[in-house]
Amino acid sequence: ATYRFEKNTHTGTETLLLAGVLADGETILENAAQEPEVNDLIGLLVRMGANIKRTAPRTIVIKGVSKLHGTRFVINPDRNEIITLAIAALLTKGDIYITNARKEGIEAFLAAFAQVGGSYKEEPQGMRFYSLEKELSPSDIRTAPAPHFMTDWQGPWAVLMTQATGVSTIHETVYENRFGYVSELIKMGANIKFFSPSVTNPKELYNFNLTKVAKEKHHAIRITGATQLHNAVVNITDLRAGATLVLAALTARGTSIVFGVEHLDRGYEQFEKRLNALGAKIRRASE
């Protein structure tokens, strides 16, 4: 079949890739996702005997084969973990070297990181992220599907912008409900306000159906800094909010308590142990 995705869908593209690999004949996916993880899956399947080609940035052609075989494949580093640690370095005026990290897939983040005052360096076996200990500049970020600024990065970026001098904005266009962490950052002293940006082409811009979203839901925030965050008792609502609140607690004065770490564990293996190895003071406790 030929199938065109109405909106960008990461896992939708992967699902139809898997369906098309052993299907009879040729399957063409149009408006397919460009995320590096999709390319990883294509690379794995091709190594297993599949016939898949990305003939254009958003077009994938799959010619079905009768069977697949085993292979060995190395998965690329987790982009979200890389940027979380990079932001941690800048927030704490630290210096972090991440082995196996590479710039492919995070170019949009690196451009914004350098623009606000962060520094990074590619090394033979990874990347170094560090602070020059200068005043951070504000930014205006709009999330979008790859290769643009990823929706998963906007929560940690919001914490970073609480430490920038001036007014920053984040406009979320990928998910309809991605600001669950904002109320918790406000508890910690962040100066964040919701607003509705002026958009001339909402149907094309947003990756969700805007007509099905409650009118009182805003899709952008305005952050005024620099603000000294303070300790608080906060609740994690989802995976990326978890990393966001841990970064905020590292930045804040005093001792913070973070509930709901089971969300965090879904995407960050032994997160507190690795941060403690870098000098953090985090203790996991049972309720």
Side-chain angles (χ1 to χ4, degrees), residues 57-98:
R58 292 198 174 272
T59 303
I60 299 173
V61 177
I62 310 157
K63 293 182 179 177
V65 297
S66 58
K67 63 179 182 179
L68 300 176
H69 54 73
T71 189
R72 294 179 68 85
F73 188 81
V74 178
I75 298 170
N76 281 325
D78 186 331
R79 296 182 296 151
N80 297 320
E81 288 201 333
I82 292 170
I83 72 95
T84 301
L85 292 170
I87 290 174
L90 196 49
L91 280 168
T92 59
K93 294 182 170 55
D95 189 332
I96 295 178
Y97 179 77
I98 307 174

Coordinates of all heavy atoms in Angstrom, one line a residue, residues 57-98:
P57 N 13.5 12.9 2.4 CA 13.5 13.1 3.9 C 12.3 12.5 4.6 O 12.4 11.9 5.7 CB 13.6 14.6 4.1 CG 14.3 15.1 2.9 CD 13.9 14.2 1.8
R58 N 11.1 12.6 3.9 CA 9.9 12.0 4.6 C 9.2 11.0 3.8 O 8.0 10.7 3.9 CB 8.9 13.2 4.9 CG 9.5 14.1 6.0 CD 8.4 15.0 6.7 NE 8.9 15.7 7.8 CZ 9.0 15.3 9.0 NH1 8.6 14.1 9.3 NH2 9.5 16.0 10.0
T59 N 9.9 10.3 2.9 CA 9.4 9.2 2.1 C 10.2 7.9 2.3 O 11.4 7.9 2.1 CB 9.3 9.5 0.6 OG1 8.6 10.7 0.5 CG2 8.7 8.4 -0.2
I60 N 9.6 6.8 2.7 CA 10.2 5.5 2.9 C 9.6 4.5 2.0 O 8.4 4.4 2.0 CB 10.1 5.1 4.4 CG1 10.8 6.1 5.3 CG2 10.8 3.7 4.6 CD1 10.6 5.8 6.8
V61 N 10.4 3.8 1.2 CA 9.9 2.7 0.3 C 10.4 1.4 0.9 O 11.6 1.2 1.1 CB 10.5 3.0 -1.1 CG1 10.0 1.8 -2.0 CG2 10.0 4.3 -1.7
I62 N 9.5 0.5 1.1 CA 9.7 -0.8 1.6 C 9.3 -1.9 0.6 O 8.2 -1.9 0.2 CB 9.0 -1.1 2.9 CG1 9.1 0.1 3.9 CG2 9.4 -2.4 3.6 CD1 8.0 0.2 4.9
K63 N 10.3 -2.7 0.2 CA 9.9 -3.9 -0.7 C 9.9 -5.1 0.2 O 11.0 -5.5 0.8 CB 10.9 -4.0 -1.8 CG 10.8 -2.8 -2.8 CD 11.8 -2.9 -3.9 CE 11.6 -1.7 -4.9 NZ 12.6 -1.7 -6.0
G64 N 8.8 -5.8 0.3 CA 8.6 -6.9 1.2 C 9.6 -8.1 0.8 O 9.8 -8.3 -0.3
V65 N 10.1 -8.7 1.9 CA 10.9 -9.9 1.7 C 10.2 -11.1 2.4 O 9.3 -10.9 3.2 CB 12.3 -9.7 2.3 CG1 13.1 -8.6 1.6 CG2 12.2 -9.4 3.8
S66 N 10.7 -12.3 2.1 CA 10.0 -13.5 2.6 C 10.3 -13.8 4.0 O 9.5 -14.3 4.8 CB 10.3 -14.7 1.7 OG 11.7 -14.9 1.7
K67 N 11.6 -13.4 4.5 CA 11.9 -13.7 5.9 C 13.1 -12.8 6.2 O 13.8 -12.2 5.4 CB 12.3 -15.1 6.0 CG 13.6 -15.6 5.2 CD 13.9 -17.0 5.5 CE 15.1 -17.5 4.7 NZ 15.5 -18.9 5.0
L68 N 13.3 -12.7 7.5 CA 14.5 -11.9 8.1 C 15.4 -12.9 8.8 O 15.0 -14.0 9.1 CB 14.0 -10.8 9.1 CG 13.0 -9.8 8.6 CD1 12.6 -8.9 9.7 CD2 13.7 -9.0 7.5
H69 N 16.6 -12.4 9.0 CA 17.6 -13.3 9.8 C 18.2 -12.5 10.9 O 18.1 -11.2 11.0 CB 18.7 -13.8 8.8 CG 19.4 -12.7 8.0 ND1 20.3 -11.8 8.6 CD2 19.2 -12.3 6.7 CE1 20.7 -11.0 7.7 NE2 20.1 -11.3 6.5
G70 N 18.9 -13.1 11.8 CA 19.5 -12.5 12.9 C 20.7 -11.6 12.5 O 21.3 -11.8 11.4
T71 N 21.1 -10.7 13.4 CA 22.2 -9.8 13.2 C 22.7 -9.3 14.5 O 22.1 -9.5 15.6 CB 21.9 -8.7 12.2 OG1 23.0 -8.0 11.8 CG2 20.9 -7.7 12.9
R72 N 23.8 -8.5 14.5 CA 24.2 -7.8 15.6 C 24.1 -6.3 15.3 O 24.5 -5.9 14.2 CB 25.7 -8.1 16.0 CG 25.8 -9.6 16.5 CD 27.3 -9.9 16.8 NE 27.8 -9.2 17.9 CZ 27.6 -9.6 19.2 NH1 27.0 -10.7 19.5 NH2 28.1 -8.9 20.2
F73 N 23.7 -5.5 16.3 CA 23.4 -4.1 16.0 C 23.6 -3.3 17.2 O 23.2 -3.7 18.3 CB 22.0 -3.9 15.5 CG 21.7 -2.5 15.0 CD1 22.0 -2.1 13.7 CD2 21.0 -1.6 15.8 CE1 21.7 -0.9 13.2 CE2 20.7 -0.3 15.3 CZ 21.1 0.0 14.0
V74 N 24.3 -2.1 17.1 CA 24.6 -1.3 18.3 C 23.6 -0.1 18.2 O 23.6 0.7 17.2 CB 26.0 -0.7 18.3 CG1 26.2 0.2 19.4 CG2 27.0 -1.9 18.4
I75 N 22.8 0.1 19.2 CA 21.8 1.2 19.2 C 22.5 2.5 19.5 O 23.4 2.5 20.3 CB 20.7 0.9 20.3 CG1 20.0 -0.4 20.0 CG2 19.8 2.1 20.5 CD1 19.1 -0.9 21.1
N76 N 22.1 3.6 18.9 CA 22.7 4.9 19.1 C 22.4 5.4 20.5 O 21.4 5.0 21.1 CB 22.1 5.9 18.1 CG 22.8 5.7 16.7 OD1 24.0 5.4 16.7 ND2 22.1 6.0 15.7
P77 N 23.2 6.3 21.0 CA 23.0 6.8 22.4 C 21.6 7.5 22.5 O 21.1 8.0 21.5 CB 24.1 7.8 22.6 CG 25.1 7.4 21.6 CD 24.4 6.8 20.4
D78 N 21.1 7.6 23.7 CA 19.8 8.2 24.0 C 20.0 9.7 23.9 O 20.6 10.3 24.8 CB 19.3 7.8 25.3 CG 17.9 8.3 25.6 OD1 17.5 9.3 25.1 OD2 17.1 7.6 26.4
R79 N 19.4 10.4 22.9 CA 19.5 11.8 22.8 C 19.0 12.6 24.0 O 19.5 13.6 24.4 CB 18.8 12.3 21.5 CG 19.3 11.7 20.2 CD 18.6 12.3 19.0 NE 17.2 11.9 19.0 CZ 16.2 12.5 18.4 NH1 16.4 13.7 17.9 NH2 15.0 12.1 18.5
N80 N 17.9 12.1 24.6 CA 17.3 12.8 25.7 C 18.2 12.8 26.9 O 18.2 13.7 27.7 CB 15.9 12.2 26.0 CG 14.9 12.4 24.9 OD1 14.9 13.4 24.2 ND2 14.1 11.3 24.6
E81 N 18.9 11.7 27.1 CA 19.8 11.6 28.2 C 21.0 12.6 28.0 O 21.4 13.2 28.9 CB 20.3 10.2 28.4 CG 19.3 9.2 29.0 CD 19.9 8.0 29.7 OE1 21.0 7.7 29.3 OE2 19.3 7.5 30.6
I82 N 21.4 12.7 26.8 CA 22.6 13.5 26.5 C 22.2 15.0 26.8 O 23.0 15.7 27.4 CB 23.0 13.4 25.0 CG1 23.6 12.0 24.7 CG2 24.0 14.5 24.6 CD1 23.8 11.7 23.3
I83 N 21.0 15.4 26.3 CA 20.7 16.9 26.5 C 20.4 17.1 28.0 O 20.6 18.2 28.5 CB 19.6 17.3 25.6 CG1 18.2 16.8 25.9 CG2 19.9 17.1 24.1 CD1 17.4 17.7 26.8
T84 N 19.8 16.2 28.7 CA 19.5 16.3 30.1 C 20.8 16.6 30.9 O 20.9 17.5 31.7 CB 18.8 15.1 30.7 OG1 17.6 14.9 30.0 CG2 18.5 15.3 32.2
L85 N 21.8 15.8 30.6 CA 23.1 15.9 31.3 C 23.8 17.2 30.8 O 24.5 17.9 31.6 CB 24.0 14.7 31.0 CG 23.5 13.4 31.7 CD1 24.3 12.2 31.2 CD2 23.6 13.5 33.2
A86 N 23.7 17.6 29.5 CA 24.3 18.8 29.0 C 23.7 20.0 29.8 O 24.4 20.9 30.2 CB 24.0 19.0 27.5
I87 N 22.4 20.0 30.0 CA 21.7 21.1 30.7 C 22.1 21.1 32.1 O 22.3 22.2 32.7 CB 20.2 21.0 30.5 CG1 19.8 21.4 29.0 CG2 19.5 22.0 31.5 CD1 18.4 21.2 28.7
A88 N 22.3 19.9 32.7 CA 22.7 19.8 34.1 C 24.1 20.5 34.3 O 24.4 21.2 35.3 CB 22.8 18.4 34.6
A89 N 25.0 20.3 33.3 CA 26.3 20.9 33.4 C 26.2 22.4 33.4 O 26.9 23.1 34.1 CB 27.2 20.4 32.2
L90 N 25.4 23.0 32.5 CA 25.2 24.4 32.4 C 24.5 25.0 33.6 O 24.9 26.1 34.1 CB 24.5 24.8 31.1 CG 24.6 26.2 30.6 CD1 26.0 26.7 30.6 CD2 23.9 26.3 29.3
L91 N 23.5 24.3 34.1 CA 22.8 24.8 35.3 C 23.7 24.9 36.6 O 23.6 25.8 37.4 CB 21.6 23.9 35.6 CG 20.4 24.1 34.8 CD1 19.4 23.0 35.0 CD2 19.7 25.4 35.1
T92 N 24.6 23.9 36.7 CA 25.4 23.9 37.9 C 26.8 24.4 37.7 O 27.7 24.3 38.5 CB 25.6 22.4 38.3 OG1 26.1 21.6 37.3 CG2 24.2 21.8 38.7
K93 N 27.0 25.1 36.5 CA 28.3 25.6 36.1 C 29.4 24.5 36.2 O 30.5 24.8 36.7 CB 28.7 26.8 37.0 CG 27.8 28.0 36.7 CD 28.2 29.2 37.6 CE 27.4 30.5 37.1 NZ 25.9 30.3 37.1
G94 N 29.0 23.4 35.7 CA 29.9 22.2 35.8 C 30.6 21.9 34.4 O 30.5 22.7 33.5
D95 N 31.1 20.7 34.3 CA 31.9 20.3 33.1 C 31.6 18.8 33.0 O 32.1 18.0 33.9 CB 33.3 20.6 33.3 CG 34.1 20.4 32.0 OD1 33.7 19.5 31.2 OD2 35.2 21.0 31.8
I96 N 30.9 18.3 32.0 CA 30.5 16.9 31.9 C 31.0 16.3 30.6 O 30.8 17.0 29.6 CB 29.0 16.7 32.0 CG1 28.5 17.1 33.4 CG2 28.6 15.3 31.8 CD1 27.0 17.0 33.6
Y97 N 31.7 15.2 30.7 CA 32.1 14.5 29.5 C 31.2 13.2 29.3 O 31.1 12.4 30.3 CB 33.5 14.1 29.6 CG 34.0 13.3 28.3 CD1 34.3 14.0 27.1 CD2 34.2 11.9 28.4 CE1 34.7 13.3 26.0 CE2 34.6 11.2 27.3 CZ 34.9 11.9 26.1 OH 35.3 11.2 25.0
I98 N 30.5 13.1 28.2 CA 29.6 12.0 28.0 C 30.2 11.1 26.9 O 30.3 11.5 25.7 CB 28.2 12.4 27.5 CG1 27.7 13.5 28.5 CG2 27.2 11.3 27.4 CD1 26.4 14.1 28.1

